[in-house]
Amino acid sequence: MLIFAIARVIPGDPARIALGPNATAEQVENLRLRLHLDQPLSVQYGHFIADLAQGDLGVSLYTNRPVTQDIAQFLPATLELIIVAGLMMILIGLPLGVISARYRGSWADSTIRIFTLLGVSAPSFVWAVILMLLFAYFLPLFPIAGRLADSMTVPTVTGFLLIDTLLAGNIKAFGNAAWHLVLPAFALALSGIGQAARLTRSNMVETYDKPYIEMAESYGFPEGRIARRYAFRPSLIPSLTIIGLDFAAMLGNAFLVEAVFAWPGLSRYGVAVILRKDLNAIVGTVLIISALFLIVNIVVDFLIAMINPRIRLSQRAQ
Amino acid sequence: MTAPTLLIRDLRLSFKGYSGLVEVLHGISLHIDKGERVALVGESGSGKSVTARIILGLLQTMRTARISGTVNFEGRDLEAMSRAERHRLRGTKMSMIFQDPTSSLNPVYRISEQFHEVLKRMVPGIGRAEADRKAAAMLADVSITEPERVLASYPFQLSGGMNQRVMIAMALANEPSLLIADEPGTALDVTVQAQTLKLMRELVTRHNTAVLFISHNLGVVREFADRIYVIYKGRIVEHGKATQLFDNPRHPYTRALMNAIPRITGEGIPKIQDNSDEYLAPLVVHEGCGEPGEVA
Ligand SMILES: Nc1ncnc2c1ncn2[C@@H]1O[C@H](COP(=O)(O)OP(=O)(O)OP(=O)(O)O)[C@@H](O)[C@H]1O
Ligand SMILES: [Mg+2]
């Protein structure tokens, strides 16, 4: 409802913008009628909800296609970027935190702490620009923009290039797509990596002072095992919460990173439709992002409940 | 004559801090014979826990700790052993029980998994089913009536007294020759503490396990130990059989500790601010209690 309201109060007549300056007053009036724009806001809202319930987000005035179809085209690119960034966050951030905590006070710990501090101290679009300049422009190790080399094409099945290239059996294109993903995903993940690592470290260092660690040491359990099962596992619960929040925040940050790397994702679409005051498309885009946000949060809560026996058991008892 | 289970001679420990070296143990000597129950009693900060950590070989790896003197375990010098050898003794030949049973168990694993981990120290390839069977038998030994239910529980689902029994069962599972109990069950209420100590005493007697019992409470020690060392500020100030010491405490500090035995609560650290010369009086050794190899 909030989304709906915000989209309506942006100044400007959507029908006018959609049809361009050359349209006649009659054409504009027709479109307004079709979109129920002539009716009071409360009635407009009623139409909107009724359509939404049928999975219909209306037609985009910009592309002239159903909004759902537009989103289905642009969303996979964004999701692919975010999922890869999320995996980086988990697969790089958590191990860095664990190493840092296990060898606390060592040079490895100091190096990691400096690196992660850098990661959290600048927003992802700044990192996007820096990484792009360093590793795509000055040192052309990675492609500067886009998802796939222009010379390559793969049939669209899922929209996820990593999956589609594999489905097509085109390993070369898969490598190319992955190569294109590295910089934008890393830029997007950096602050999350930093936060996950720093939080994991501080939680684990705290856990290392717990009596059950001393007990594990006094029983001579192997050090690596103590790090994993005794210090890391109980510290994972708060880390996971932060990772979930960061993951959700990436949905927003992806907008700017996509812009920097000319990534043909939902943000490109979102910016374009906002500029054109394409009501249905704006509402649809924001709705999808909110829905993803919700889903991520639910999944994280679920994961936390799964690894925390206290929550798991209290739920079962109810 | 067989070597004593534990023989500590002139043990000194200092910590390197910002203000230089601070000596915490000023030359401690004590011994425990095979199957003997010995108590180390003193107020907070007197150096009881650090002694225990040295015996387990845990402080040796700490960069800020400086240790000198000898610690022999079953006739072998711990200092002469490699780090791996010392590590191998832990959880097999020596084990330890802590102050607060509930927070000494890992909160995210079931008791059976933690038991499995302990049993693996002795038999690395032991399977889960086999470990569960052994664990259930050990739990029955500490008078737990439903071992299966306890094994399937997490520590937070069990009472403090129950966790304490679990800790005792774990500590004795691998039949160690030395059990170190650092203020066991101080976090429990008095009656539960008394029950579990009685149980522990029965078990160590049955298994002929030597025990170093650490406490700040002479009242608790009285029931448990054959021999008592009183430690004060990193020095042993009095040493004797439990009966001798209780009948005739000779060091002023021991007398102060006796007067401080809490009568009802079982809690409470003796309030001894006194720092007079009297407290620094020389070591009192009761008849027949000298360190091996020294003139008693
Ligand atoms: N890691 C360490 N670094 C520096 N000093 C330490 C360290 N561990 C212990 N100490 C010091 O050594 C002294 C003895 O500590 P210890 O833990 O052995 O006392 P305790 O007799 O067990 O007391 P409590 O009854 O409180 O457990 C204390 O003064 C303590 O401050
Ligand atoms: Mg202590």
Side-chain angles (χ1 to χ4, degrees), chain B residues 11-82:
Chain B
L11 179 65
R12 285 167 192 277
L13 164 71
S14 324
F15 285 108
K16 211 162 74 181
Y18 292 110
S19 51
L21 278 181
V22 181
E23 196 170 75
V24 173
L25 295 179
H26 313 286
I28 282 189
S29 298
L30 61 82
H31 73 280
I32 305 177
D33 284 324
K34 197 166 177 344
E36 197 187 16
R37 293 181 301 268
V38 170
L40 182 60
V41 185
E43 67 188 300
S44 187
S46 54
K48 307 181 298 288
S49 297
V50 288
T51 307
R53 290 179 68 81
I54 291 174
I55 298 169
L56 284 166
L58 291 174
L59 268 186
Q60 281 83 337
T61 52
M62 207 169 139
R63 262 177 290 162
T64 52
R66 295 277 173 281
I67 302 169
S68 74
T70 46
V71 182
N72 285 359
F73 180 71
E74 299 189 321
R76 301 171 64 204
D77 187 356
L78 280 184
E79 286 315 299
M81 287 185 202
S82 70

Side-chain angles (χ1 to χ4, degrees), chain A residues 214 219-220 225 229 310 312, chain B residues 53 87 117 121 154 171:
Chain A
E214 200 182 354
Y219 273 93
R225 224 173 148 71
R229 291 173 65 101
R310 225 175 252 256
R312 190 173 67 222
Chain B
R53 290 179 68 81
H87 188 268
E117 198 99 339
R121 290 292 297 149
Y154 290 91

Side-chain angles (χ1 to χ4, degrees), chain A residues 16-298:
Chain A
R16 180 88 248 167
I17 299 172
L19 294 174
N22 299 328
T24 63
E26 195 186 338
Q27 283 172 317
V28 172
E29 203 45 45
N30 271 336
L31 188 61
R32 284 176 64 87
L33 274 178
R34 221 174 69 223
L35 295 175
H36 314 293
L37 285 178
D38 52 336
Q39 288 164 357
L41 275 182
S42 57
V43 180
Q44 287 186 31
Y45 185 63
H47 283 292
F48 166 71
I49 291 293
D51 289 344
L52 185 63
Q54 297 164 16
D56 181 1
L57 291 170
V59 172
S60 163
L61 301 178
Y62 161 48
T63 59
N64 251 322
R65 295 189 307 178
V67 170
T68 42
Q69 201 181 326
D70 281 347
I71 288 176
Q73 184 194 333
F74 290 105
L75 184 61
T78 297
L79 278 185
E80 191 169 41
L81 182 63
I82 290 175
I83 288 170
V84 171
L87 286 178
M88 283 181 171
M89 195 160 88
I90 293 166
L91 298 180
I92 301 175
L94 290 185
L96 283 184
V98 173
I99 294 170
S100 205
R102 186 169 159 196
Y103 303 104
R104 56 199 175 282
S106 72
W107 61 266
D109 179 27
S110 316
T111 315
I112 291 174
R113 290 173 74 185
I114 292 170
F115 169 77
T116 54
L117 184 64
L118 278 177
V120 296
S121 54
S124 49
F125 69 90
V126 172
W127 283 118
V129 173
I130 293 175
L131 290 176
M132 187 182 194
L133 283 176
L134 285 181
F135 299 109
Y137 185 73
F138 291 121
L139 250 170
L141 295 173
F142 293 96
I144 212 156
R147 292 178 80 191
L148 198 63
D150 290 336
S151 56
M152 296 182 181
T153 46
V154 281
T156 305
V157 184
T158 58
F160 293 88
L161 276 183
L162 290 181
I163 298 175
D164 285 352
T165 50
L166 284 183
L167 286 179
N170 191 341
I171 298 298
K172 226 176 134 210
F174 175 81
N176 190 270
W179 189 41
H180 273 85
L181 260 169
V182 173
L183 282 191
F186 193 61
L188 190 55
L190 250 177
S191 77
I193 291 175
Q195 277 198 31
R198 295 177 74 77
L199 197 82
T200 304
R201 180 189 185 276
S202 67
N203 282 323
M204 270 181 75
V205 166
E206 201 178 298
T207 310
Y208 263 118
D209 280 337
K210 294 264 166 73
Y212 56 81
I213 298 277
E214 200 182 354
M215 146 127 178
E217 284 175 342
S218 80
Y219 273 93
F221 298 152
E223 256 177 66
R225 224 173 148 71
I226 293 180
R228 262 177 289 124
R229 291 173 65 101
Y230 287 76
F232 176 63
R233 187 64 201 271
S235 316
L236 186 60
I237 295 159
S239 295
L240 212 60
T241 313
I242 286 297
I243 287 180
L245 286 176
D246 279 345
F247 198 84
M250 284 200 296
L251 291 167
N253 292 335
F255 264 63
L256 291 161
V257 173
E258 285 187 8
V260 173
F261 284 95
W263 194 261
L266 200 58
S267 70
R268 266 249 205 113
Y269 179 71
V271 172
V273 296
I274 286 174
L275 292 178
R276 283 179 177 74
K277 196 161 163 57
D278 185 344
L279 290 186
N280 289 335
I282 295 173
V283 171
T285 310
V286 178
L287 260 179
I288 285 293
I289 289 180
S290 326
L292 285 175
F293 199 91
L294 259 175
I295 292 170
V296 169
N297 277 316
I298 291 171

Side-chain angles (χ1 to χ4, degrees), chain B residues 34-223:
Chain B
K34 197 166 177 344
E36 197 187 16
R37 293 181 301 268
V38 170
L40 182 60
V41 185
E43 67 188 300
S44 187
S46 54
K48 307 181 298 288
S49 297
V50 288
T51 307
R53 290 179 68 81
I54 291 174
I55 298 169
L56 284 166
L58 291 174
L59 268 186
Q60 281 83 337
T61 52
M62 207 169 139
R63 262 177 290 162
T64 52
R66 295 277 173 281
I67 302 169
S68 74
T70 46
V71 182
N72 285 359
F73 180 71
E74 299 189 321
R76 301 171 64 204
D77 187 356
L78 280 184
E79 286 315 299
M81 287 185 202
S82 70
R83 203 174 147 169
E85 276 177 299
R86 276 202 303 261
H87 188 268
R88 213 168 302 139
L89 292 176
R90 264 180 256 154
T92 55
K93 305 288 269 176
M94 319 172 171
S95 62
M96 185 148 168
I97 293 180
F98 294 90
Q99 191 168 2
D100 181 357
T102 305
S103 59
S104 299
L105 292 164
N106 190 331
V108 298
Y109 290 105
R110 293 172 199 275
I111 302 293
S112 76
E113 288 167 276
Q114 306 195 39
F115 236 111
H116 190 188
E117 198 99 339
V118 169
L119 291 170
K120 271 198 281 191
R121 290 292 297 149
M122 204 62 176
V123 188
I126 191 170
R128 185 64 181 275
E130 171 72 13
D132 275 358
R133 211 164 26 245
K134 271 199 180 173
M138 291 303 301
L139 289 179
D141 264 359
V142 291
S143 313
I144 286 179
T145 47
E146 307 163 279
E148 281 76 23
R149 186 183 66 83
V150 170
L151 280 176
S153 304
Y154 290 91
F156 63 83
Q157 294 173 302
L158 302 173
S159 69
M162 201 64 108
N163 282 326
Q164 180 71 350
R165 285 158 199 252
V166 170
M167 292 279 294
I168 294 173
M170 278 184 184
L172 295 174
N174 290 329
E175 302 256 339
S177 42
L178 176 66
L179 171 69
I180 302 173
D182 193 351
E183 317 218 5
T186 315
L188 303 174
D189 74 62
V190 207
T191 43
V192 177
Q193 190 189 4
Q195 270 171 12
T196 49
L197 285 182
K198 189 156 162 274
L199 206 99
M200 189 164 106
R201 198 190 141 106
E202 281 166 21
L203 279 173
V204 294
T205 315
R206 174 135 55 91
H207 293 276
N208 201 23
T209 315
V211 182
L212 177 63
F213 188 96
I214 293 175
S215 179
H216 55 244
N217 187 337
L218 268 173
V220 173
V221 164
R222 179 177 215 157
E223 308 294 321

